[in-house]
Amino acid sequence: MNRIDFNWVPFHIVACSSEDFNSPADFLSTQQYGQQRSWECSRTADYPVEIILRFHTRIQVDHLLIASKADKGIPKMNIYIGDGLNGGWNDAEYRRAGQCENIYVKPLQVKLTGIGNYLKIKIIEHPKRAPQNPYGQVSISLLKIWGIPRSYNIVDQSEEVYGAKDNIDKMLIDLGIPVDMINWFEDDDRNYQYAPIDDESRDTLNDLKLKRDSARRVEDFEFLKELKRDMKLIFEIGKEIWKLKRELSFCVAKEDYLRAMELRNRLKRLEAKRDTFDALYETSRYEKMINLQRPTTAEYMRHLEYLEMQEQMNADALRRQRELEEQNRRRMIQEEQNLLGKSTDNKIDKTPWWEKGGDDRNIKKKKKKEKKEDDEPLLNFNNPFAFNEGDVDLELYLNPLLAQAGEKMVDIPLEILRRLHQLGYLTVFGAKAWTGIHSDSWRIREACAQAVLNFLEMPLPDKYKNGKTKKLFLAAMEFAKICMEDKILSIYFIGLKILSTALAPPVCGTDVSPAIINKVLKEFTPILIEKISELNFRARDISLHTLLSIYRHPAANLGMLVSCCFDKMVMDPNFPTLFVPPDKQPTRIIQARLEIVSNVLQEFGYDQRQFNHQDIFFILATPCLFHQANEIRLLSIEVIAALYQFVGVEIRTMVDAIENLKPGLKDQIMARLDEIDQQAPGSKQVDRGLSLVPEEEQEENQSALLKKQKDNANTQKQDLDKTINNVSQNKNQDKLNNSQLSKK
């Protein structure tokens, strides 16, 4: 293997389990263009944190360079390489290619082994909190991979990288020790006397060890299975408690009481979790906790007094709460009445009954029924950024999905909600749905996207049934755009469904003009083309099917879709140095555009009012004939063949005019066009203005007879025209003569 062939490998991020809002994982993909950007995990990230990147081709990796920010280092990290011909990053088989520890500002070179399409970086340890890093985040400021492209015929024969424990197990297996014995020794044969755990956890484990021995004697294997798992959990909890107690003693010695308060709260939570296992298995510690002495009479009386006092305090607090609620209710009613211009001071008689006359008490006057001036409900949404009518509409769909997600929703920057409120979209789906779709948790984002999709698929509220759905349509398009830009594939699929549902009635109502529809499609077309060029197989096919289905709308302009496929083919005059010729661009980008144009010609046909066939031929098809990938050249030939079915002989002349085209490729194009002529119905060749190739003598005779018949028909038609002209001239002459005689 020649080391000169190795080079820095380009890549892009396809998945990330946690990222900060201001430093997403996409910034790592742009480092190859000289932009100094970095990635940070979220403040509430769950470990291990995983980042999956995809190579543009199959790569044999040699090593990588990695560095982090000064205050957000990585304690320990494993690197896996995935290889697969079918499916996406989730379907590939991963094997460990390397591991490293203590990654900081200074770049670290990590040796890697393996061949594959994907590389997974798995950060398995949480860094310690510090004043410079209060949330314990990790970051990557530099990531470069050194490797060489490999074809799919080469088999990966490198050995998987093992850790220290794996090497010991491998040595024991080589010595002849069975695997079951190795796992049994590791899991169960432990001596907790000198283990690094606290004393209370040690007592619990010793009691459980006795229960384990008794269960073995009676062969209660179901109980042993549960007990084995719980003993591991208790051991990990005890080890964590032991570490926290040591750190707490150091914090008290250093008088760092803020950190000591945090450690004390964590210790209480861990001890409560351990006590649940004591109660479950009824250990000796649990018996000590429940073994209460009989109280004396004085203690019993004090306890009763305490309970009565506590009950009285609760009753007073409940009464005060009800008074405050009543005051707030009256205040809100008064504010609503002031806003609506109503005042009930003159209508309500506040004079008590004992101050009125005696006769007035016994007389009951019949009140006249007053007609209500307006029947509008008194709904007053004071803060639309917290709650509005959109939240009322989506409450039935969103709340069950959020409860199923099981995560707490975090507030987002207010600038996002202000922008949506200015556009008029905030009150369509509600503040909660818009806040959730911008959340860091993918479960909350998926729940909000599914709730909006369910809302659009179900019958719409009455306010949208009169055809006034323009605001709903635009809000759904904005929501679908956010979902389709998400890294999670399931959220992306939901975004596609929202887009397809919104373009159909009743969401796309009568007040949505064709100009608005084409404007929206112009925004979504580049996104879908980019996704088609990035994703693989099923997701790629679904994206292509959705792109073609949205352009089946009667108001859609196909020329806009075809012109969007030319974005990588034409030089931008503002940035001429960034232009890459089509024959030098990656295969996936060109292949996506060729497949889209080919499907457009096959399903929609050719309409010269919307796009020109010469633009497709010269801008897209001709440069792709010089691409190094064979599949690109074959797709370009199919596009030319599709154009030939609609245009005809002009395509042959345009193919002949291509300069520097390889003769073999030109013969292949002509053979494909001849094949189309032979497959035409009604005759063996399609008459498109071409000179016929001589075949058999019978066909030549038939063609000669047809020509003679056509000539005879033409001569007969000319004679008939002459006789008709002569008759008409004679009639006109007779009319003139009659008119002259009448005048005389």
Side-chain angles (χ1 to χ4, degrees):
M1 187 190 309
N2 192 357
R3 302 296 295 181
I4 300 176
D5 297 336
F6 281 84
N7 201 350
W8 296 116
V9 178
F11 60 86
H12 64 276
I13 305 298
V14 296
C16 180
S17 62
S18 176
E19 59 183 6
D20 192 64
F21 183 80
N22 297 320
S23 56
D26 288 338
F27 288 170
L28 298 177
S29 303
T30 61
Q31 287 187 349
Q32 52 187 320
Y33 303 109
Q35 300 179 3
Q36 295 297 327
R37 294 181 174 181
S38 60
W39 161 82
E40 292 181 6
C41 72
S42 176
R43 295 180 177 180
T44 59
D46 295 331
Y47 285 82
V49 177
E50 295 184 357
I51 302 174
I52 300 177
L53 51 93
R54 179 182 180 270
F55 304 124
H56 296 176
T57 57
R58 193 167 183 255
I59 298 297
Q60 178 180 353
V61 293
D62 184 71
H63 66 269
L64 63 80
L65 287 178
I66 188 169
S68 67
K69 290 186 176 181
D71 52 351
K72 296 179 177 65
I74 301 175
K76 190 174 182 181
M77 179 179 72
N78 289 337
I79 303 166
Y80 302 86
I81 189 163
D83 194 9
L85 297 176
N86 300 326
W89 57 268
N90 203 17
D91 302 323
E93 295 182 0
Y94 292 91
R95 51 196 300 276
R96 187 155 53 181
Q99 56 186 0
C100 57
E101 298 179 355
N102 301 327
I103 301 170
Y104 295 106
V105 182
K106 185 177 179 181
L108 180 65
Q109 179 175 335
V110 183
K111 180 65 179 175
L112 303 178
T113 58
I115 302 174
N117 308 76
Y118 302 94
L119 195 74
K120 181 195 290 185
I121 298 175
K122 187 175 183 180
I123 303 171
I124 57 179
E125 285 192 6
H126 192 291
K128 293 183 178 180
R129 300 176 185 266
Q132 296 83 7
N133 188 12
Y135 299 102
Q137 297 172 267
V138 293
S139 65
I140 297 177
S141 62
L142 173 65
L143 181 61
K144 288 187 175 183
I145 301 168
W146 184 260
I148 184 172
R150 292 297 183 191
S151 65
Y152 287 93
N153 297 327
I154 298 177
V155 181
D156 188 6
Q157 298 179 353
S158 60
E159 296 182 357
E160 186 174 0
V161 178
Y162 296 98
K165 177 184 174 301
D166 297 332
N167 292 329
I168 294 173
D169 293 345
K170 188 176 180 181
M171 292 170 59
L172 294 174
I173 292 171
D174 293 338
L175 291 174
I177 299 175
V179 179
D180 297 337
M181 293 296 294
I182 294 173
N183 294 333
W184 184 265
F185 178 85
E186 178 191 351
D187 292 339
D188 296 317
D189 194 6
R190 288 182 175 177
N191 187 1
Y192 300 110
Q193 183 178 359
Y194 303 104
I197 56 177
D198 64 309
D199 296 335
E200 294 179 348
S201 300
R202 185 178 290 108
D203 296 339
T204 302
L205 288 171
N206 289 328
D207 292 343
L208 294 181
K209 192 173 180 181
L210 297 175
K211 291 182 178 293
R212 183 189 64 188
D213 296 337
S214 61
R216 282 180 186 172
R217 286 192 294 269
V218 298
E219 296 183 353
D220 189 359
F221 300 119
E222 291 80 6
F223 178 75
L224 285 171
K225 180 181 177 182
E226 300 293 332
L227 185 63
K228 172 186 172 183
R229 183 191 61 191
D230 294 341
M231 289 179 71
K232 286 183 179 180
L233 293 175
I234 295 170
F235 186 83
E236 297 297 330
I237 292 172
K239 187 166 61 174
E240 187 69 19
I241 291 174
W242 180 71
K243 291 180 182 179
L244 292 177
K245 284 184 177 180
R246 291 188 60 188
E247 189 176 355
L248 180 62
S249 62
F250 293 148
C251 292
V252 173
K254 293 187 295 184
E255 296 184 355
D256 187 3
Y257 299 116
L258 184 63
R259 176 62 177 167
M261 292 166 60
E262 182 182 355
L263 294 175
R264 182 193 61 190
N265 295 332
R266 290 179 61 186
L267 277 171
K268 287 182 178 180
R269 289 195 295 269
L270 289 173
E271 289 174 351
K273 188 175 181 180
R274 182 196 58 201
D275 292 342
T276 57
F277 290 102
D278 288 311
L280 178 63
Y281 292 103
E282 296 181 358
T283 60
S284 58
R285 290 190 62 253
Y286 176 71
E287 293 178 356
K288 291 179 182 178
M289 286 188 288
I290 65 174
N291 188 13
L292 302 176
Q293 296 181 357
R294 183 179 179 84
T296 60
T297 305
E299 292 176 351
Y300 179 69
M301 295 302 295
R302 282 198 301 269
H303 184 66
L304 286 179
E305 291 177 0
Y306 172 76
L307 291 177
E308 291 178 358
M309 183 178 62
Q310 194 72 21
E311 185 177 357
Q312 184 65 30
M313 291 174 61
N314 293 336
D316 294 341
L318 183 61
R319 180 178 52 79
R320 288 194 298 269
Q321 182 180 358
R322 289 177 178 176
E323 291 177 356
L324 290 175
E325 290 178 355
E326 182 65 21
Q327 291 177 3
N328 291 332
R329 189 183 67 82
R330 291 181 179 179
R331 180 179 56 79
M332 291 175 64
I333 293 174
Q334 187 66 31
E335 289 177 357
E336 291 173 358
Q337 290 176 352
N338 293 335
L339 289 174
L340 296 174
K342 295 181 179 180
S343 177
T344 57
D345 294 338
N346 298 326
K347 298 180 182 180
I348 299 174
D349 189 5
K350 299 181 180 180
T351 306
W353 62 271
W354 58 83
E355 294 182 2
K356 296 180 181 180
D359 298 335
D360 295 336
R361 286 181 295 170
N362 298 326
I363 299 173
K364 294 183 179 180
K365 295 182 179 180
K366 189 175 182 181
K367 296 182 179 179
K368 296 181 179 180
K369 294 183 179 179
E370 297 180 356
K371 190 176 182 181
K372 296 182 179 179
E373 297 180 359
D374 52 352
D375 297 332
E376 296 180 358
L378 300 177
L379 294 176
N380 184 18
F381 301 105
N382 295 325
N383 186 9
F385 300 106
F387 187 78
N388 52 55
E389 57 264 26
D391 293 295
V392 178
D393 295 338
L394 259 76
E395 184 178 6
L396 182 63
Y397 307 94
L398 184 58
N399 288 344
L401 294 174
L402 288 178
Q404 187 178 0
E407 295 187 10
K408 186 178 180 181
M409 189 180 298
V410 183
D411 294 336
I412 61 173
L414 196 60
E415 289 77 9
I416 299 174
L417 298 179
R418 284 176 179 171
R419 170 184 165 274
L420 295 170
H421 183 63
Q422 187 176 5
L423 294 173
Y425 305 157
L426 183 64
T427 57
V428 177
F429 295 137
K432 185 183 290 186
W434 289 109
T435 304
I437 200 62
H438 290 88
S439 175
D440 292 337
S441 173
W442 68 270
R443 290 186 177 89
I444 294 179
R445 297 200 303 270
E446 185 178 11
C448 295
Q450 188 64 42
V452 171
L453 177 61
N454 296 339
F455 172 73
L456 296 177
E457 289 178 346
M458 296 297 289
L460 298 178
D462 294 337
K463 59 183 177 182
Y464 297 121
K465 289 186 178 180
N466 296 327
K468 299 178 181 180
T469 59
K470 180 179 177 181
K471 190 177 293 185
L472 175 65
F473 174 79
L474 295 175
M477 290 300 165
E478 181 71 20
F479 211 93
K481 185 177 180 182
I482 297 172
C483 294
M484 290 171 63
E485 292 175 349
D486 203 288
K487 290 287 187 294
I488 304 300
L489 199 58
S490 60
I491 302 176
Y492 170 71
F493 284 152
I494 296 174
L496 293 180
K497 292 181 181 178
I498 293 174
L499 175 62
S500 302
T501 307
L503 283 170
V507 180
C508 185
T510 56
D511 59 341
V512 181
S513 62
I516 296 175
I517 294 173
N518 286 315
K519 183 180 178 181
V520 169
L521 292 180
K522 189 175 181 180
E523 296 178 0
F524 280 93
T525 303
I527 299 174
L528 284 169
I529 293 175
E530 183 180 358
K531 292 293 183 181
I532 292 170
S533 61
E534 287 181 0
L535 301 174
N536 288 332
F537 300 102
R538 178 173 176 268
R540 185 173 181 273
D541 295 339
I542 293 174
S543 302
L544 180 59
H545 175 73
T546 305
L547 178 62
L548 296 175
S549 65
I550 63 176
Y551 271 92
R552 290 192 182 95
H553 196 280
N557 185 10
L558 278 174
M560 185 168 55
L561 173 58
V562 176
S563 61
C564 287
C565 295
F566 299 156
D567 56 349
K568 299 289 184 180
M569 306 296 171
V570 183
M571 181 187 299
D572 190 355
N574 298 325
F575 305 98
T577 57
L578 299 178
F579 177 69
V580 179
D583 55 338
K584 303 294 183 183
Q585 291 191 14
T587 304
R588 56 183 180 82
I589 295 177
I590 305 299
Q591 184 178 0
R593 284 153 177 80
L594 286 172
E595 287 184 355
I596 292 170
V597 174
S598 178
N599 282 280
V600 167
L601 293 173
Q602 291 175 6
E603 295 191 15
F604 300 99
Y606 171 60
D607 189 358
Q608 58 183 358
R609 294 173 299 178
Q610 296 186 355
F611 56 89
N612 191 2
H613 67 280
Q614 294 183 357
D615 295 339
I616 298 176
F617 186 86
F618 290 111
I619 298 176
L620 183 64
T622 303
C624 294
L625 292 173
F626 299 93
H627 200 277
Q628 59 183 355
N630 187 32
E631 57 267 21
I632 299 299
R633 297 196 295 270
L634 292 177
L635 280 173
S636 180
I637 293 173
E638 291 300 323
V639 172
I640 294 172
L643 289 174
Y644 178 69
Q645 292 178 356
F646 299 104
V647 180
V649 67
E650 185 181 352
I651 300 298
R652 284 184 181 266
T653 58
M654 293 164 69
V655 172
D656 292 332
I658 299 176
E659 298 179 356
N660 300 326
L661 185 63
K662 293 182 180 180
L665 191 58
K666 187 174 183 180
D667 295 340
Q668 190 176 358
I669 297 172
M670 291 301 179
R672 183 72 179 93
L673 300 183
D674 294 338
E675 183 182 352
I676 294 173
D677 290 337
Q678 294 176 2
Q679 293 175 356
S683 64
K684 293 185 178 181
Q685 291 183 343
V686 180
D687 187 6
R688 300 180 184 273
L690 301 176
S691 60
L692 294 177
V693 180
E695 294 181 353
E696 295 180 357
E697 294 180 357
Q698 294 180 358
E699 294 178 357
E700 291 178 357
N701 295 331
Q702 290 178 0
S703 63
L705 289 173
L706 289 172
K707 286 183 179 179
K708 288 181 180 180
Q709 291 177 0
K710 288 181 180 179
D711 294 335
N712 294 331
N714 291 330
T715 54
Q716 291 176 2
K717 186 178 180 182
Q718 291 176 1
D719 295 335
L720 183 62
D721 293 335
K722 287 180 181 180
T723 56
I724 292 170
N725 292 330
N726 292 330
V727 171
S728 62
Q729 289 177 3
N730 293 330
K731 287 183 178 181
N732 293 331
Q733 189 65 31
D734 293 338
K735 287 181 180 180
L736 289 173
N737 294 331
N738 293 329
S739 63
Q740 290 177 2
L741 289 172
S742 62
K743 287 180 180 180
K744 289 179 180 181

